[in-house]
Amino acid sequence: MGQYGVLVDVTKCIGCRGCQTACKNWNDLPAVKTTFTADWTNPPEMNFNNITLVGFHTIEKDDKVQWRAAKVQCFHCLEPTCFEVCFVHAYNKTPEGAVVYANPEICVGCRYCQLACPFHNIQMKWDEVFSRVRKCSFCYNRLVEGLKPACVTTCPTGALKFGKRDELLQEAKERINSNPDKYFNHIYGEKEAGGTSWLYISDVPFEDLGFNTDVFQKSIPKYTWKYMKKAPILAVSLPIFFAALYAYTKRRAENEGHGH
Amino acid sequence: MTNHFIDYQHSDVWLCIGANPAENHPMAFRWITKGKEKGGKLIVADPRFTKSAAMADLYAPHRPGTDIPFLLGIMNYAIQNNLYHREYVVNYTNASYIVHPEFGFEDGLFSGFGDGGYDKASWAYTGEKDPTLEHPQCVFQLLKRHTARYDKRTVSQICGTPEDLYEEICKLYAGTGEPGKAGNIIYAMGITQHTYGSQNVRSIAMLQLLLGNIGIPGGGVNAQRGESNVQGSTDMCMLYHLLPGYNPMPNANTHPTWADYREKATPAAGYWVNRPKFVVSMLKAWYGEHATAENDFCYDYIPKIYGDHSHMAMFKAMAEGKVKGFFAWGQNPVVGGPAAIQSRKAMENLDWMVCIDLFEIETAAFWKAPDADPTKIGTEVFFLPTGCSYEKEGTVSNSGRWIQWRWKAIDPPGEAHSDLWIADRLFKAIRKGYQQGGVFPDPIVKMTWDYGDDHYDIVKVAVECNGFTVADGEPVLNFTKLADDGSTACGNWLFSGYYNDLNDPPCKRRDTVDTSGLGMYHNWSFCWPVNRRIIYNRCATRPNGQPWNPEKALFRWTGTEWIKNDVPDFNANVPPEETANNPFIMLPEGQGRFFASGMAEGPFPEHYEPIETPFKNIMSKQQHNPCAKLYADNFAPVGSEEYPYVCTTHRLIEHYQSGALTRNQPYLVELMPEMFVMISKTLAEKLHLKSYDWVVVSTPRGEIKAKLGVTPLIKPLMVHSKLTEVVCMPWHWGFQGLGRGAIANDLTPAAGDANTSIPEYKAFLCNIRKA
Amino acid sequence: MYDERYTSRFGFRMTPLRWAMFAFMVLFLAVAGYRFVFGLGPVTNLTDQWTWGLWKYLVFPAVALAGCGYGTVFLAHVLHIRAFYPIVRVAMVVSLMGYSVAMVGLLFDITVYYNFWRPFAYWGYTSILFEVLWCMTLYWTIQILEFGHIAFERIDAPIIYKALDKAMPVLICVGIMLPTLHQASLGGLFIATTQLHPAWWSLWIPWFFMISSLMVGPAVVAFSCWALCRIYGKKFEELMPSLNPLILVGAALMIFYTVLKVWDLTARGAWGYVFEGTLQGNMFLLEHIVFLLVPLVMFLTPSIRNSVGGLVTASLLCGVGVVLNRTNVMFTGMAPAYTHSYFPSWMEWVGFAGLLVGALLVILFFVENFKILEGISDAEEAKDSAVSPVTVQG
């Protein structure tokens, strides 16, 4: 079974923020207190109760201005770093493609997942003593019932399209190829962090949408695992090596002692 | 709307003017997006670079209140470059009609102008026609001469739209005049809320006629209504000058008796000849057995209007102490009405007020407004909590005229009850009072009110609106079955047919199968009239019955019969030639009007400046609409130095109207928490202001304090070679609810449109300074 | 300082400074209580971006400097280089307290602290942090046992002492493996944080962490000995012969580290980031020139190395260099990726300082009550050698 994904076409997003509200609705997240923001992005950044956020971006070039809205949430890496760095397996990467913070009860609260997330899309409930993190779950509880994620369901213009990731990737390529003058030739999420389930296409460069285009282009877990693989070997071989040294130098020291 | 939302996908070009569907009608944008995928082009004209503008292929900034030159300029371009749809214009419009020889237009005024307005004698047809459109006094030539004054240079000077850009837009939009092409004009309150709002709408209709865009899939004059059921409420006569179904309200002077009404309110030709059937059936529904031919079906029981009872007139009367009691039912005039400070003051004169709403809105709490002194206000206020649309059953009519049944999801909380419950109890209590006697109890006591004793039965209400035969109480099929002899009763003829089958009422249908192939979905709810999804649809085909665009064929004449993909707005039992000269069946002439004598300020739209403007009208000596209704005199003078900036109000997707509902919704308050004002970077620089500063915006009506947003989305406009700054602010906030903020309408002028009295919310003058 | 006369009871001299330190510890305990009742939000200035703050940071320099333990123990107990016998116990105690600070600091930092044991039950084996935690915990345990070996020299419990004595070689061999692994793994944690500025982010970062923790060991030992000698009026010069070769080992490692850094930057083509003139570039240069190359040259210059002032100054520079490296990796190098700024709250500072002050008090107590500064004599080492290493026989 192929993994699911969502194709976000920024050129079709009208910034209605239905997705942001639908997400809160479905996940029963309380509203947070905000104040006016000049760019209308509100709250100004993601937080524990806003695990998806529509950011508004004005792009001024010469005399022209462009205004784009882009929804940001967990991108659901194909090989999620958060899953990889969690030392208690609080995360799950489901066969459907969702990266889910599935076992909060065993979470220690070390926040390595937050630090290591290449997109900084994991949020913490800071105001609680035994605080834990929260992230977009791809509406996993809807996926298993055969429903689309709440945000996709609510999108009026089709800016969010749910489907199999490989098919969506193909469609993204087709959309760009059939309209090369319009689209910026980059599918964000195709390669970022080794590929993500959420894919974005846009008619403006992604850095103008506040996306980190400097993100690692390969799977981060591949590297951490490459390192981790060595640990057991070292754990066994080093003591043996040290013991050998111990024995050897000891004997030499004793011999030297006898020499005295 | 002549068309409907799903039909937007068939447009080749959309012209959004005075509307911001991406912000305010996001579901409409679903279909624009679909159409764009097929190659459709979107033009947006707006003072601000809106969310819709952000999605547009061409965006034209233009000064608030300059829609008429913008639209007439496109007409001029189409005529001068021969891009108009000649076959359509000749056959389906009154372009060929010859007008009275004395009709004329000089320096901003049409012939017949006098003290009390226009004497319209010279605005009549002679009865002759010139299908060649060459006669100098034919409508087309008059139109050509009238619009010729709106060349692109002049338009650019008035509107502040760069000339090249404007020409590009003219070219693109006039291109829809090609037979088979569909252009769609989408408008909303940006068009209507002016002292010449009706003429703005006229300009749109005329442009669409000129380009052959009415009655065809993807075309239309598409008013996107300001709230989900505002269509339904106007259909049901929310407006003071109407009876249900757009029948005129009887007037004490002109229609004292049924005979007068029947004679004067019924035109000689067109579908409105059936008006007596509709009104008699309505009276039968209201007075039942008491309504008989002998007593003129109780026509005398209906109140007659004797003057201007519009919103602003009513508040003026309130200020003068003439209005003693006031029901604010699902309305929040303290936030939503113009010159709101004065309105609040006026309300202090009330003896009592009943406010029926979901929350204790600003109107209910007017006596504790920040600028009010409760110790000096004697008004007794009753607040009745009601349910929102998900807490009651009934219908909601959308902009596309679809009457959709909504089921109740949950009960209203606490002591709140549905509006119908309140209306039912209220009526019964009043009737009980009148049964004890009164000055004139009959209109109340004899009214039919048979919806159940303790709990109303909403189906009975629905059947009454639908209409039924008096003899057996069976619902009528539709309004063609209504009679003027008292044998039928019908609450609203337009709704007739929406509940004609008790087991399967059309308004409850939810079939997603589209048999038309054009997204008409005839079995999804009911669309008035008679489930017709595109009105004036005789225009969808050539006079000979062949579709303009075979790929989007709403109808096709095979030679022997019509192939139909919608409910025809013409007699489909006869060959096309017989209906070709009567596509606009509601009009006596049966043809679309470029020249409309029914308008107060002229048969053609003409550019006048808003009541408050920095500029002299360069089109004529006539500065303002000569027939505009002014309800106050606190307006800034032309070119005021005290108030140098053009100000306009707008809406946000997060909030609904006066925010009564949405400002109590935590999620929405989170998204848009407080009142703000947006200005351009250049103005901010000039005034040494920056985002998040508290600023005071002032007009002659008062001043408000709000946070400032400086944005690249607003840019100054070059109007008459002068850089003109526009100050934009939403009007959703008030002093009650979770999210609070200043009331934008404290600033707006009490000036109204000549025909409809709609206030001029969208263009006035202001000043702005750091708080 | 340890005094044979105190045989019957433990003692701790109180001075005004020590009273002040204890007073500060009271404040620290209050802050700790507040933190454990109300959580991190009200106490710290952490945000979703700066999710690892001062307390997590504490682990890195503390463990790096505590690297003095395993390096010196390796030289003295595994390689049996007699020259290091006098200083090995200082290294061990400083190291133990370094790890103690790190472990308690971690407990302060995790939000669901009652779940601290979960990683041992739910094997998140893919996580480098998993390895770090396991190794640190085990090593800490071993260090406690190693210290127990010292402690039971004066606490009269012969059975325990004997058992510890027998286990020592095993503990030492395993105990050196563990820090080798987790010093590297502490660096390995930052493989996943790809937002780290490229001047520091490298797939080789584990080995930089490991080598730097080794190379700073001699400097820490030298500085600690000097400081303790000053406090207890012992002649530091007497330790110089032991420290001198140790410092040379450190210098050799510093050379290796420098070469590796040059190679790494070259291979990644990252020199541009070093000279980009940003805060990050400049901090990188500061770290590597003032606090790496300068002390290296000082160590390699015999006249400086052999002078007390030169040795101590160079050791201090080297130690600061490693601390600066950890600071740069955790803060300076992360900052460009974040829109927020972070400055720890006063309570974070109190927690930070309190842990250090507490560790210092414990070190002083140990030094005054156990044979630490005296080192081990040849005789004791000989006694040690009577026990055969178990692992080798297996």
Side-chain angles (χ1 to χ4, degrees):
Chain A
M1 186 184 81
Q3 293 190 4
Y4 286 113
V6 173
L7 175 59
V8 183
D9 190 335
V10 173
T11 68
K12 291 185 184 176
C13 175
I14 55 173
C16 74
R17 301 199 273 190
C19 49
Q20 195 175 324
T21 309
C23 172
K24 297 196 73 146
N25 231 330
W26 178 257
N27 292 301
D28 238 342
L29 305 179
V32 299
K33 176 113 183 88
T34 57
T35 55
F36 165 68
T37 51
D39 67 355
W40 295 6
T41 308
N42 222 342
E45 53 193 29
M46 288 164 84
N47 60 50
F48 186 72
N49 292 316
N50 292 78
I51 50 177
T52 186
L53 182 71
V54 176
F56 291 108
H57 308 274
T58 48
I59 301 119
E60 292 171 89
K61 258 186 212 119
D62 309 323
D63 220 17
K64 294 254 175 196
V65 63
Q66 275 177 301
W67 192 16
R68 289 286 173 265
K71 169 194 195 303
V72 173
Q73 70 298 308
C74 167
F75 292 149
H76 297 275
C77 301
L78 300 180
E79 294 183 44
T81 312
C82 53
F83 168 85
E84 196 77 8
V85 303
C86 181
F87 62 172
V88 292
H89 288 315
Y91 285 89
N92 252 352
K93 170 80 179 172
T94 71
E96 293 86 353
V99 180
V100 187
Y101 178 59
N103 307 307
E105 69 284 354
I106 60 169
C107 176
V108 173
C110 74
R111 311 186 301 288
Y112 190 20
C113 49
Q114 270 195 303
L115 185 77
C117 171
F119 306 99
H120 313 310
N121 284 343
I122 301 174
Q123 272 61 44
M124 187 84 191
K125 184 167 171 55
W126 290 103
D127 55 1
E128 200 180 72
V129 54
F130 301 119
S131 53
R132 289 174 164 86
V133 295
R134 183 179 281 152
K135 65 182 278 299
C136 162
S137 68
F138 214 145
C139 279
Y140 186 63
N141 50 7
R142 290 173 64 91
L143 290 196
V144 292
E145 299 292 335
L147 297 167
K148 296 173 185 177
C151 54
V152 177
T153 307
T154 206
C155 180
T157 60
L160 307 179
K161 186 174 180 182
F162 176 79
K164 294 280 178 187
R165 191 209 182 238
D166 46 359
E167 288 164 20
L168 292 174
L169 184 62
Q170 207 49 45
E171 181 170 344
K173 285 176 181 164
E174 276 158 25
R175 283 195 207 174
I176 292 174
N177 290 339
S178 63
N179 221 332
D181 295 336
K182 177 180 171 187
Y183 286 105
F184 185 73
N185 189 14
H186 180 180
I187 302 170
Y188 194 93
E190 183 186 10
K191 297 204 178 90
E192 277 71 14
T196 61
S197 294
W198 280 61
L199 303 165
Y200 286 71
I201 52 174
S202 164
D203 59 348
V204 294
F206 282 100
E207 46 268 34
D208 289 342
L209 297 172
F211 280 46
N212 178 12
T213 47
D214 212 20
V215 74
F216 210 58
Q217 297 291 305
K218 292 175 194 139
S219 158
I220 296 163
K222 275 214 172 72
Y223 289 92
T224 55
W225 183 239
K226 204 168 147 190
Y227 170 80
M228 274 303 284
K229 272 194 312 203
K230 294 179 186 135
I233 304 166
L234 288 176
V236 175
S237 58
L238 277 181
I240 296 172
F241 174 65
F242 292 144
L245 278 178
Y246 180 95
Y248 168 71
T249 53
K250 185 155 185 88
R251 184 155 305 157
R252 206 179 57 179
E254 280 165 7
N255 290 343
E256 277 172 24
H258 289 297
H260 279 282
Chain B
M1 269 197 205
T2 57
N3 295 43
H4 58 94
F5 288 120
I6 296 174
D7 187 58
Y8 281 15
Q9 62 182 312
H10 298 127
S11 307
D12 294 300
V13 184
W14 305 266
L15 172 58
C16 264
I17 184 163
N20 184 6
E23 185 89 52
N24 300 320
H25 299 86
M27 282 310 282
F29 224 88
R30 176 193 199 86
W31 304 105
I32 297 176
T33 311
K34 267 218 155 68
K36 271 165 77 92
E37 281 169 28
K38 299 182 208 162
K41 299 277 180 226
L42 174 65
I43 304 169
V44 172
D46 203 292
R48 292 183 302 140
F49 189 85
T50 59
K51 284 182 185 169
S52 305
M55 296 284 117
D57 296 282
L58 281 175
Y59 162 67
H62 73 135
R63 175 165 63 99
T66 60
D67 307 280
I68 289 173
F70 195 93
L71 293 160
L72 294 193
I74 303 176
M75 291 168 76
N76 178 46
Y77 184 90
I79 295 172
Q80 300 301 333
N81 294 290
N82 222 11
L83 295 169
Y84 64 98
H85 195 324
R86 191 172 172 98
E87 193 180 353
Y88 187 105
V89 167
V90 169
N91 288 287
Y92 298 153
T93 75
N94 68 356
S96 60
Y97 288 49
I98 291 165
V99 177
H100 198 286
E102 278 171 27
F103 172 77
F105 175 77
E106 212 186 316
D107 210 6
L109 290 173
F110 294 90
S111 52
F113 188 71
D115 268 353
Y118 279 105
D119 171 7
K120 300 179 183 176
S122 63
W123 300 4
Y125 304 131
T126 61
E128 294 161 76
K129 292 183 193 176
D130 176 17
T132 66
L133 309 183
E134 296 298 333
H135 190 289
Q137 200 67 359
C138 82
V139 167
F140 185 77
Q141 291 300 326
L142 292 171
L143 176 73
K144 189 174 172 181
R145 290 204 294 275
H146 190 75
T147 56
R149 298 151 57 239
Y150 294 91
D151 59 278
K152 63 181 183 186
R153 205 185 148 72
T154 309
V155 171
S156 168
Q157 278 193 352
I158 299 173
C159 298
T161 312
E163 208 173 308
D164 297 348
L165 177 65
Y166 183 67
E167 188 171 9
E168 215 180 320
I169 286 167
C170 288
K171 194 173 165 193
L172 179 59
Y173 198 73
T176 64
E178 188 186 325
K181 283 265 184 340
N184 177 349
I185 301 188
I186 295 165
Y187 74 94
M189 271 54 75
I191 281 289
T192 57
Q193 290 173 344
H194 295 280
T195 43
Y196 34 78
S198 305
Q199 290 289 16
N200 281 346
V201 181
R202 282 275 303 138
S203 310
I204 289 171
M206 288 162 65
L207 176 56
Q208 291 296 65
L209 284 175
L210 189 68
L211 300 174
N213 283 332
I214 293 180
I216 63 168
V221 173
N222 293 315
Q224 303 196 129
R225 311 305 305 258
E227 44 177 302
S228 64
N229 197 23
V230 77
Q231 184 67 52
S233 57
T234 42
D235 297 342
M236 290 303 281
C237 85
M238 178 187 72
L239 300 170
Y240 78 99
H241 65 299
L242 292 173
L243 288 174
Y246 303 96
N247 288 303
M249 189 72 189
N251 185 292
N253 299 318
T254 47
H255 317 118
T257 66
W258 170 237
D260 293 319
Y261 187 87
R262 190 176 178 126
E263 188 197 323
K264 291 178 190 160
T266 311
Y271 201 78
W272 280 119
V273 299
N274 295 308
R275 176 163 284 147
K277 295 179 188 169
F278 306 152
V279 177
V280 166
S281 296
M282 183 197 80
L283 290 168
K284 274 305 275 186
W286 288 6
Y287 291 105
E289 54 183 359
H290 301 292
T292 60
E294 290 70 40
N295 66 4
D296 291 342
F297 303 103
C298 300
Y299 174 81
D300 296 339
Y301 288 175
I302 313 179
K304 315 289 183 293
I305 57 170
Y306 53 89
D308 185 352
H309 304 308
S310 69
H311 179 96
M312 286 183 283
M314 188 176 70
F315 274 87
K316 200 173 167 208
M318 212 182 276
E320 289 160 0
K322 293 177 190 160
V323 175
K324 290 293 174 198
F326 177 47
F327 264 78
W329 198 330
Q331 198 204 11
N332 194 5
V334 163
V335 173
I341 296 175
Q342 287 74 23
S343 297
R344 285 199 294 279
K345 276 267 161 282
M347 287 170 72
E348 295 180 5
N349 295 337
L350 292 168
D351 290 345
W352 57 265
M353 185 187 71
V354 180
C355 186
I356 302 167
D357 218 297
L358 303 175
F359 299 95
E360 192 197 14
I361 56 171
E362 286 77 5
T363 300
F366 79 95
W367 52 275
K368 51 181 173 181
D371 55 355
D373 179 1
T375 61
K376 296 197 175 119
I377 299 170
T379 314
E380 189 173 6
V381 177
F382 303 88
F383 181 76
L384 306 182
T386 184
C388 79
S389 53
Y390 309 104
E391 294 165 344
K392 59 198 178 196
E393 202 171 4
T395 64
V396 168
S397 302
N398 73 6
S399 303
R401 298 167 282 108
W402 293 19
I403 309 169
Q404 306 186 77
W405 194 268
R406 280 197 189 166
W407 290 266
K408 182 168 82 172
I410 46 168
D411 286 321
E415 291 186 305
H417 288 282
S418 75
D419 299 279
L420 202 49
W421 187 93
I422 294 171
D424 187 45
R425 300 285 164 124
L426 201 57
F427 178 80
K428 284 171 179 164
I430 291 170
R431 184 172 60 186
K432 204 171 167 188
Y434 274 104
Q435 276 162 348
Q436 322 292 318
V439 180
F440 184 30
D442 285 1
I444 302 292
V445 174
K446 291 188 175 168
M447 180 165 277
T448 305
W449 197 272
D450 183 24
Y451 312 118
D453 293 335
D454 230 18
H455 281 281
Y456 64 84
D457 179 357
I458 195 159
V459 172
K460 287 188 172 168
V461 181
V463 170
E464 183 182 312
C465 288
N466 177 80
F468 56 91
T469 46
V470 173
D472 57 8
E474 286 298 312
V476 295
L477 179 67
N478 55 41
F479 54 72
T480 62
K481 307 293 178 198
L482 298 180
D484 58 1
D485 59 1
S487 62
T488 57
C490 176
N492 184 348
W493 73 278
L494 267 186
F495 275 40
S496 195
Y498 90 120
Y499 214 98
N500 60 12
D501 182 342
L502 290 175
N503 297 318
D504 180 25
C507 64
K508 290 186 179 176
R509 288 178 190 160
R510 292 294 183 273
D511 189 345
T512 52
V513 175
D514 174 34
T515 50
S516 67
L518 290 169
M520 298 294 154
Y521 297 100
H522 287 101
N523 285 318
W524 178 286
S525 82
F526 176 86
C527 174
W528 71 253
V530 289
N531 212 14
R532 184 177 295 135
R533 307 281 156 146
I534 296 177
I535 54 174
Y536 311 124
N537 58 31
R538 176 63 184 85
C539 303
T541 59
R542 292 168 195 272
N544 67 7
Q546 296 312 304
W548 300 109
N549 184 342
E551 283 166 24
K552 297 173 205 165
L554 207 54
F555 299 101
R556 184 198 308 273
W557 175 252
T558 62
T560 51
E561 59 167 352
W562 284 98
I563 293 173
K564 295 172 280 195
N565 284 323
D566 193 8
V567 178
D569 203 354
F570 54 93
N571 185 352
N573 300 318
V574 297
E577 288 73 21
E578 287 184 36
T579 52
N581 61 356
N582 191 27
F584 290 87
I585 59 164
M586 302 309 286
L587 299 177
E589 56 269 61
Q591 281 161 313
R593 288 171 175 166
F594 284 114
F595 186 91
S597 55
M599 303 298 289
E601 63 280 82
F604 290 133
E606 166 66 4
H607 172 64
Y608 304 113
E609 287 287 330
I611 291 302
E612 288 191 334
T613 170
F615 302 107
K616 282 212 151 62
N617 185 3
I618 61 163
M619 294 308 295
S620 69
K621 274 195 210 128
Q622 190 58 42
Q623 175 71 12
H624 308 302
N625 181 350
C627 304
K629 293 184 183 168
L630 306 182
Y631 297 91
D633 50 13
N634 49 0
F635 304 122
V638 176
S640 166
E641 279 176 26
E642 202 181 337
Y643 303 104
Y645 310 116
V646 175
C647 192
T648 191
T649 59
H650 61 88
R651 305 187 189 202
L652 302 166
I653 187 168
E654 292 80 9
H655 289 296
Y656 183 59
Q657 308 286 24
S658 71
L661 181 78
T662 51
R663 278 188 292 110
N664 285 294
Q665 220 294 341
Y667 288 166
L668 299 173
V669 172
E670 175 191 298
L671 292 171
M672 273 294 176
E674 50 185 333
M675 175 67 184
F676 60 89
V677 177
M678 302 284 267
I679 59 171
S680 71
K681 286 178 167 179
T682 49
L683 184 57
E685 223 165 274
K686 186 180 155 196
L687 301 176
H688 306 293
L689 295 171
K690 55 186 190 309
S691 285
Y692 307 108
D693 280 349
W694 281 94
V695 292
V696 171
V697 184
S698 56
T699 71
R701 272 75 60 194
E703 52 183 46
I704 62 165
K705 211 171 122 183
K707 273 191 188 164
L708 183 72
V710 179
T711 176
L713 303 173
I714 300 172
K715 289 204 160 85
L717 298 159
M718 189 62 84
V719 181
H720 304 324
S721 323
K722 189 187 156 203
L723 220 50
T724 306
E725 293 284 356
V726 182
V727 175
C728 302
M729 54 188 181
W731 61 275
H732 299 296
W733 278 274
F735 51 84
Q736 291 285 98
L738 278 180
R740 299 178 182 196
I743 297 171
N745 277 320
D746 281 358
L747 305 179
T748 50
D753 171 75
N755 300 277
T756 64
S757 316
I758 195 167
E760 192 157 66
Y761 291 117
K762 294 296 183 200
F764 51 98
L765 292 180
C766 76
N767 202 349
I768 185 165
R769 63 170 196 271
K770 196 163 184 165
Chain C
M1 171 172 190
Y2 180 70
D3 192 322
E4 293 287 353
R5 285 169 302 182
Y6 302 153
T7 46
S8 56
R9 58 187 181 87
F10 294 108
F12 195 58
R13 266 190 305 138
M14 290 305 292
T15 64
L17 183 65
R18 289 182 183 188
W19 277 115
M21 285 163 82
F22 273 108
F24 186 76
M25 289 309 286
V26 173
L27 176 64
F28 165 75
L29 289 175
V31 167
Y34 189 69
R35 177 259 168 273
F36 284 108
V37 173
F38 294 102
L40 290 183
V43 174
T44 68
N45 282 344
L46 296 178
T47 65
D48 285 330
Q49 293 180 353
W50 289 105
T51 185
W52 279 16
L54 193 63
W55 291 347
K56 196 73 123 257
Y57 160 77
L58 183 56
V59 172
F60 293 88
V63 171
L65 297 181
C68 66
Y70 76 113
T72 317
V73 168
F74 176 73
L75 295 172
H77 288 312
V78 175
L79 298 184
H80 296 98
I81 300 171
R82 199 166 281 125
F84 301 125
Y85 288 178
I87 51 171
V88 67
R89 286 192 164 183
V90 172
M92 279 170 71
V93 167
V94 171
S95 176
L96 169 65
M97 289 327 292
Y99 275 90
S100 302
V101 162
M103 294 304 283
V104 180
L106 273 181
L107 192 68
F108 265 68
D109 186 77
I110 57 173
T111 60
V112 195
Y113 49 81
Y114 61 78
N115 267 351
F116 75 91
W117 55 275
R118 296 276 188 181
F120 303 104
Y122 298 83
W123 284 58
Y125 58 87
T126 54
S127 173
I128 294 176
L129 192 61
F130 173 74
E131 190 204 310
V132 170
L133 188 77
W134 263 104
C135 292
M136 272 178 63
T137 313
L138 285 177
Y139 183 52
W140 193 43
T141 315
I142 287 173
Q143 280 191 314
I144 292 168
L145 294 175
E146 283 178 349
F147 178 74
H149 188 241
I150 298 171
F152 283 104
E153 285 173 3
R154 74 163 290 199
I155 301 167
D156 191 24
I159 300 169
I160 300 174
Y161 180 77
K162 226 171 174 163
L164 283 172
D165 202 53
K166 279 201 168 139
M168 249 327 105
V170 186
L171 292 178
I172 283 168
C173 287
V174 176
I176 296 171
M177 172 276 286
L178 291 169
T180 313
L181 279 185
H182 76 241
Q183 289 286 1
S185 296
L186 278 170
L189 292 178
F190 295 98
I191 293 178
T193 62
T194 47
Q195 70 266 37
L196 180 59
H197 189 275
W200 289 281
W201 190 89
S202 161
L203 288 172
W204 281 77
I205 197 168
W207 315 117
F208 290 133
F209 266 54
M210 187 187 82
I211 297 163
S212 60
S213 77
L214 282 172
M215 78 190 185
V216 78
V220 174
V221 173
F223 187 81
S224 310
C225 288
W226 174 77
L228 290 171
C229 286
R230 267 190 66 103
I231 295 170
Y232 295 106
K234 215 184 153 182
K235 276 205 167 146
F236 179 63
E237 287 75 9
E238 288 172 12
L239 294 175
M240 289 289 275
S242 294
L243 289 171
N244 228 314
L246 189 65
I247 284 297
L248 283 176
V249 173
L253 286 166
M254 284 164 83
I255 293 170
F256 181 53
Y257 181 82
T258 310
V259 170
L260 206 60
K261 270 273 175 189
V262 169
W263 173 82
D264 174 60
L265 286 171
T266 310
R268 288 191 295 117
W271 283 102
Y273 295 108
V274 174
F275 297 106
E276 66 188 10
T278 58
L279 174 70
Q280 283 68 34
N282 294 338
M283 287 298 278
F284 186 90
L285 289 173
L286 184 74
E287 175 193 326
H288 288 86
I289 293 172
V290 178
F291 296 106
L292 178 67
L293 295 180
V294 169
L296 175 59
V297 170
M298 288 173 79
F299 284 146
L300 292 177
T301 311
S303 59
I304 300 176
R305 184 173 74 234
N306 290 324
S307 74
V308 172
L311 181 69
V312 172
T313 309
S315 298
L316 188 65
L317 286 176
C318 179
V320 170
V322 172
V323 173
L324 183 61
N325 171 262
R326 303 305 192 260
T327 316
N328 281 339
V329 167
M330 267 201 74
F331 297 124
T332 323
M334 294 289 184
Y338 301 145
T339 52
H340 295 180
S341 57
Y342 168 71
F343 189 81
S345 69
W346 71 267
M347 285 195 273
E348 283 179 273
W349 284 115
V350 169
F352 181 82
L355 287 169
L356 295 179
V357 170
L360 192 56
L361 285 170
V362 173
I363 290 175
L364 293 174
F365 177 81
F366 284 174
V367 168
E368 287 173 22
N369 289 282
F370 300 105
K371 276 168 76 175
I372 308 295
L373 218 48
E374 290 69 20
I376 45 171
S377 62
D378 286 3
E380 278 164 315
E381 178 58 19
K383 179 165 64 71
D384 177 30
S385 66
V387 184
S388 306
V390 180
T391 43
V392 174
Q393 290 176 340

